[in-house]
Amino acid sequence: MSAPDLAPAPAGRALLLENIHADARTLLSEAGWEVETTSGALDETELLERLPGVSLLGIRSQTQVTAKVLDNAPDLRAVGAFCIGTNQIDLFAAATAGVAVFNAPYSNTRSVVELALAEIIALTRRLTVKDQAMHAGVWDKSAAGSHEVRGRRLGIIGYGNIGSQLSVVAEALGMSVFFYDRTDKLALGNARRCGSLHEVLEIADVVTLHVDGRSSNSGFFGEEEFARMRPGSIFLNLSRGFVVDHVALRKHIESGHIAGAAIDVFPTEPKGSGHAFESELRGLPNVILTPHVGGSTEEAQEDIGRFVAAKLRDYALHGATTLSVNLPALGTEATPGTVRLAHLHRNVPGVLAAINSVLAEAGVNIESQQLATRGDLGYVVTDIAAHASDEVGRRLRELPETVRVRQLG
Ligand SMILES: NC(=O)c1ccc[n+]([C@@H]2O[C@H](COP(=O)([O-])OP(=O)(O)OC[C@H]3O[C@@H](n4cnc5c(N)ncnc54)[C@H](O)[C@@H]3O)[C@@H](O)[C@H]2O)c1
């Protein structure tokens, strides 16, 4: 368990790894942090050496923040994953240590949508085939098999952040949008919700997958689904590699049943740039393969840098946990002119009463108070008129359910 502190801390030190966008450094520096950066990831040993004195840690996908790291970093308050996924962080250990974790789930939505649209147009127009022929010295001015996207039917599977934004932009190009989502989603614009996956497959000229990475989606699009697609249709996957059976896709492309495909994500992906890439889909005509770059644009990186850094700052300064992936969500700033006590605890009955009893016995007047819970954790922020004494801090720390208590402001 972490050592809680009640003394209001100065902003302190932040460590940003893996070439996080410079805007994150600027934002934290302007808020008073001393920021160190590295271009690469750190392994567990290196991380343990660098973390003493660091209150905010920023990583991307290559740094593993393990239970061992979290259990041995008493100064750490929050970890920012400057990316979408948080699998590289032991979220349970972080919550148990009272360390908030934030990510950027929406910053690259538009980048994925634009790549999908570019690929839909390129494949519908058979641009890759024309391009390859030209590079091979062949002039083929035929229109056969090339279509406008206007008026064609786009089938979106998974109508979340990305699927629904793609729906809006595709309609602006004149496409008719049909979608299927396992949950009840509001149709945007003139898009039509379908009752089943198969209904979309039988209607759409272009099928694009934007489902999430839940384990039940493993292999959910295979031989049966490709066979259900319309002859001459186009297939895209920019969601997760493990959801599609690539052997079945290859078969349907070779037979001509599927006229083209764009794949950005693979069941097994190389560890990094420069490593060999193996796939059943290499060497096929009218198939665009990209190295998981759907969300990789400079705009998305900049947005991620600012978004996650602001979450870290707001948690450290105000205790705000909105969009934290592991702590109960409380978003507001402290009432003006007050000091905030942020108390993270195990979620069992009676903790709020115990906190308030400590404050009442010390004669501390509560200006406002909010409680949120999430699974095994509870989080109370209490705004009080003046700084609480060390004795109040000691008594709050000693409550058996306390995970971490901080005084902010
Ligand atoms: N290629 C990239 O670089 C890149 C970048 C960002 C996100 N992604 C991936 O894109 C996918 C979508 O991202 P998002 O932010 O829109 O996620 P999201 O969680 O907002 O939306 C996913 C939607 O899919 C639906 N869904 C899940 N399983 C389904 C199924 N079997 N059938 C029908 N609907 C199903 C969910 O109900 C949800 O509405 C994710 O897998 C994400 O990891 C890829």
Side-chain angles (χ1 to χ4, degrees):
M1 186 139 316
S2 55
D5 59 83
L6 254 204
R13 283 169 54 211
L15 176 61
L16 303 181
L17 311 177
E18 301 188 62
N19 235 352
I20 287 166
H21 195 275
D23 281 8
R25 178 188 195 133
T26 306
L27 188 147
L28 291 174
S29 299
E30 285 175 359
W33 268 265
E34 183 191 320
V35 185
E36 299 162 47
T37 59
T38 71
S39 57
L42 296 184
D43 65 23
E44 193 175 67
T45 312
E46 294 168 320
L47 206 47
L48 282 167
E49 280 167 10
R50 295 286 292 269
L51 281 181
V54 168
S55 57
L56 302 179
L57 172 66
I59 61 165
R60 290 171 72 187
S61 57
Q62 298 302 315
T63 301
Q64 300 293 318
V65 182
T66 60
K68 186 174 171 189
V69 168
L70 289 156
D71 289 345
N72 290 284
D75 300 318
L76 193 61
R77 298 287 176 268
V79 177
F82 286 74
C83 51
I84 312 302
T86 51
N87 297 346
Q88 70 281 38
I89 302 165
D90 188 327
L91 295 179
F92 178 75
T96 309
V99 172
V101 178
F102 297 93
N103 67 341
Y106 312 118
S107 295
N108 62 10
T109 300
R110 180 67 185 209
S111 301
V112 180
V113 166
E114 289 194 11
L115 181 61
L117 273 175
E119 292 176 333
I120 290 167
I121 294 173
L123 293 169
T124 306
R125 205 62 188 263
R126 296 187 74 75
L127 285 188
T128 63
V129 176
K130 300 282 183 208
D131 177 63
Q132 279 163 11
M134 291 292 277
H135 282 285
V138 178
W139 182 268
D140 172 14
K141 202 174 163 346
S142 156
S146 294
H147 299 278
E148 295 180 352
V149 295
R150 178 177 53 164
R152 289 181 89 75
R153 288 161 298 202
L154 174 63
I156 299 175
I157 313 301
Y159 206 66
N161 297 313
I162 294 172
S164 58
Q165 189 169 144
L166 176 62
S167 169
V168 172
V169 187
E171 278 201 340
L173 284 177
M175 298 191 83
S176 302
V177 175
F178 299 81
F179 72 88
Y180 169 67
D181 196 289
R182 60 191 296 279
T183 59
D184 200 9
K185 293 289 174 119
L186 178 71
L188 300 178
N190 294 318
R192 267 168 280 172
R193 184 171 52 225
C194 295
S196 71
L197 171 64
H198 287 168
E199 193 182 334
V200 178
L201 302 184
E202 283 158 17
I203 291 171
D205 302 302
V206 179
V207 171
T208 183
L209 302 190
H210 299 286
V211 298
D212 55 53
R214 71 189 69 211
S215 54
S216 59
N217 279 340
S218 178
F220 105 103
F221 208 99
E223 172 57 36
E224 189 190 343
E225 287 70 32
F226 286 118
R228 288 268 186 159
M229 285 174 63
R230 290 164 61 84
S233 56
I234 280 166
F235 175 78
L236 286 85
N237 182 22
L238 292 89
S239 62
R240 293 295 185 97
F242 64 81
V243 306
V244 176
D245 178 349
H246 283 182
V247 175
L249 174 56
R250 179 178 187 103
K251 184 185 132 194
H252 284 274
I253 288 169
E254 284 177 330
S255 74
H257 176 65
I258 304 291
I263 306 295
D264 186 48
V265 286
F266 300 85
T268 311
E269 297 183 358
K271 282 202 168 63
S273 297
H275 289 247
F277 165 66
E278 296 297 337
S279 167
E280 294 85 357
L281 302 177
R282 283 177 51 191
L284 290 174
N286 212 28
V287 172
I288 299 174
L289 302 181
T290 45
H292 204 147
V293 290
S296 301
T297 60
E298 292 188 12
E299 288 78 5
Q301 288 309 314
E302 187 179 325
D303 198 73
I304 289 170
R306 275 191 267 107
F307 185 88
V308 180
K311 293 283 166 222
L312 293 175
R313 176 199 60 197
D314 293 347
Y315 175 67
L317 295 182
H318 310 298
T321 47
T322 315
L323 293 184
S324 165
V325 294
N326 68 334
L327 297 192
L330 281 180
T332 58
E333 290 197 3
T335 313
T338 64
V339 173
R340 173 164 283 190
L341 286 175
H343 188 273
L344 188 67
H345 54 265
R346 280 189 294 284
N347 181 19
V348 294
V351 182
L352 189 57
I355 293 170
N356 287 345
S357 146
V358 170
L359 297 178
E361 283 165 24
V364 175
N365 192 37
I366 295 175
E367 303 281 336
S368 76
Q369 190 168 51
Q370 300 168 69
L371 164 72
T373 61
R374 178 177 190 162
D376 294 337
L377 283 177
Y379 186 48
V380 179
V381 293
T382 307
D383 294 342
I384 56 178
H387 283 112
S389 66
D390 289 349
E391 174 61 10
V392 168
R394 186 186 62 75
R395 291 195 58 197
L396 289 176
R397 267 199 306 276
E398 286 177 357
L399 293 176
E401 299 82 9
T402 297
V403 174
R404 174 161 269 170
V405 56
R406 295 189 298 147
Q407 183 159 225
L408 309 164

